[in-house]
Structure formats: C-alpha cells, structure tokens
Amino acid sequence: MGASDLARAAALDRRGAARAFAPPVSRRWDLDLSSTRLALRAPFPAAPGSPPVEWRVESGLTEYPQALAEMESRADAIAAGRAAERVWLIEHPPLYTSGTSAKPADLLEARFPVYRAGRGGQFTYHGPGQRVAYVMLDLKRRRPDVRAYVAALEGWLIDALHRLGVEGETREDRVGVWVARPDKPAGSDGAPAEDKIAAIGVRVRRWTTFHGVSLNVAPDLTHFSGIAPCGIHEAHYGVTSLVDLGRAATMADADRALKNAFEARFGPTVDA
C-alpha cells in the first residue's frame, strides 16, 4: 500500500466510505487505525504559545458510559475553543469495547459487559490493572495529520515502555505495541511468538482527538480470553503485561513513565 492509498484509507465517514483526508470541521469522521501506520514517529508539539495539556489521573474504577460521555463532552469543548487539551488516565471495571471494524465472530464469550465505543479498531478489553489514557488533543494546534498523530501515539507508548525496561515494537500488519516472546512457541509457519502489551484506538472529530491508548500494567490476562483482541486469532500472538514480563512496576510507575514520555513528544502538561 503506497502513501496515496494510506491517505485515502485514513479517513472513514459514518458509512465507512473511504475519502481523501481533508474533512471540513463540521463533518464527523471515524478512523480505522489499520490503515494509518507510519514508520517515522516525529515529535508532535502544539503551536508556540499554546497552553499546557491538562494531565488528569482518576482514582478508583470509572464506568465506561460515564467515561465516554465525559470524554466526548470535553472533546467538543476543545474543538469549540472552550477548553484546554487533556490526557485523562483511568481504570475501568472489567468490560469489552467494540470498534468500528469489530466482527461479531471475534466476541468469543461475553464474560463482561460489551460497549460500542465508536473508535477505530476491533474488540479490546479494559479492566483493573490496565492503564487507559484518553487523549483529547486539538490537531489544529499541532498538525492536522491523523496518520502522524497515530504514529506519535505509538512512539509515546514505546518511549514509556523503554523507561520501564521493556522494548516495545510495532508491526506493519498489526496495530498496537508488541514485545518479542522467544520463551513461547513459534507459529506453525515458524513466525516468532509476540505478545501485545499496549493497544491504540482513536477517533477524530472536528480535528479533535478522543479515545486513545491502553497499557497492560497488571491486569488479569485471562479476561482477554473472551475476545480475539483486535481480531487476532493466531496462537503465537498473545497478550502480556509489565508484571507478566517480570517487571515490578506499579500503576504509579507506569503513570510516571507515560507522563515523562508524553511531555518529551507532545509538550508540557499541567496537573488537573
């Protein structure tokens, strides 16, 4: 797939029809992450003079409908120029969300509530021990390029994992951040085993981003068994976490790494 094909595939309207990514701010657009991979992950700062990004860490568990409503309201306020950009770090109770590309067959067992998220991507799991970061940025203040934004999110996660002693990587044919697992059996075709440690699913409306990323710190990995995460069924592609990899990292450690890596790539933050 060439650069022009990627550009056409990057933007999907509500009916799923591919269009060149140059939407008017009054139209609502969805993003399918599988079409937006970039090899380069350049810094993604705001324009000079922009206020810092609000950095909010929520305590306890946040119900998904509440989070979705608050996130969408804040994104609308950012788009209208009434609010500052925000990164919102939360944990959810156990649940599954389905993205715009989710296939019913990939919901293997509805062990937990299932919510339609409206973001790009397929099925994913959220629950205690997983850090979810909802990222609400104004791309008009930064760079109105969704592919570059997704690449910056990938780079952010990889940088944060590096600070936690884990080498994360991306794959052209698979969304998210992966780690090599030479200790696990290879695939039937000899492909090396790899586990996903972080997921990405975003939506962009009026050039304002919402939804975001998730990082597995210490979730119950058996909870992923109810879905084919991101539509992946191959046995040698699994899921992992910092604790599963033997890293003695707390949620506070992960938050610190995420914040430092975010500021290095996206610019300054202020606690909210």
Side-chain angles (χ1 to χ4, degrees), residues 129-165:
Q130 181 193 73
R131 177 55 84 201
V132 176
Y134 290 130
V135 184
M136 293 155 271
L137 300 181
D138 185 353
L139 297 188
K140 299 188 302 294
R141 302 182 194 175
R142 296 175 179 272
R143 181 179 172 187
D145 184 330
V146 180
R147 294 176 300 155
Y149 168 64
V150 172
L153 292 179
E154 291 178 330
W156 170 35
L157 288 168
I158 289 171
D159 292 347
L161 285 167
H162 181 75
R163 295 167 188 263
L164 294 164

Side-chain angles (χ1 to χ4, degrees), residues 16-258:
R19 302 185 178 184
F21 199 88
V25 295
S26 61
R27 188 177 295 276
R28 181 175 172 178
W29 294 76
D30 298 334
L31 176 67
D32 182 350
L33 286 183
S34 64
S35 302
T36 61
R37 312 308 300 278
L38 284 182
L40 299 178
R41 301 182 184 91
F44 209 79
S50 297
V53 177
E54 290 186 4
W55 189 270
R56 174 178 166 187
V57 181
E58 202 72 37
S59 61
L61 301 180
T62 303
E63 296 292 336
Y64 190 78
Q66 173 192 343
L68 185 62
E70 183 167 342
M71 175 173 53
E72 291 198 348
S73 176
R74 180 64 177 228
D76 287 342
I78 293 170
R82 300 193 308 271
E85 298 175 305
R86 171 178 285 178
V87 175
W88 187 20
L89 273 59
I90 67 173
E91 287 180 86
H92 287 302
L95 59 92
Y96 299 127
T97 65
S98 64
T100 55
S101 302
K103 301 177 179 65
D106 290 337
L107 180 60
L108 307 178
E109 180 186 0
R111 299 176 56 188
F112 306 113
V114 181
Y115 297 97
R116 296 184 63 181
R119 52 158 176 77
Q122 302 185 45
F123 280 104
T124 194
Y125 165 78
H126 296 311
Q130 181 193 73
R131 177 55 84 201
V132 176
Y134 290 130
V135 184
M136 293 155 271
L137 300 181
D138 185 353
L139 297 188
K140 299 188 302 294
R141 302 182 194 175
R142 296 175 179 272
R143 181 179 172 187
D145 184 330
V146 180
R147 294 176 300 155
Y149 168 64
V150 172
L153 292 179
E154 291 178 330
W156 170 35
L157 288 168
I158 289 171
D159 292 347
L161 285 167
H162 181 75
R163 295 167 188 263
L164 294 164
V166 173
E167 293 306 310
E169 301 175 333
T170 57
R171 296 291 178 261
E172 289 300 320
D173 59 340
R174 284 176 270 131
V175 178
V177 178
W178 298 76
V179 295
R181 296 305 303 264
D183 55 315
K184 292 188 173 183
S188 58
D189 59 354
E194 297 180 337
D195 284 346
K196 190 173 190 177
I197 192 169
I200 300 174
V202 306
R203 189 165 184 171
V204 177
R205 187 166 63 204
R206 297 168 63 195
W207 291 116
T208 301
T209 70
F210 51 116
H211 295 280
V213 306
S214 61
L215 173 64
N216 294 335
V217 180
D220 184 338
L221 296 179
T222 67
H223 288 182
F224 285 86
S225 64
I227 58 172
C230 300
I232 296 171
H233 292 267
E234 293 87 343
H236 60 292
Y237 295 146
V239 291
T240 190
S241 67
L242 293 174
V243 169
D244 183 53
L245 293 172
R247 303 301 188 272
T250 65
M251 191 66 75
D253 294 329
D255 289 349
R256 189 177 306 109
L258 285 167

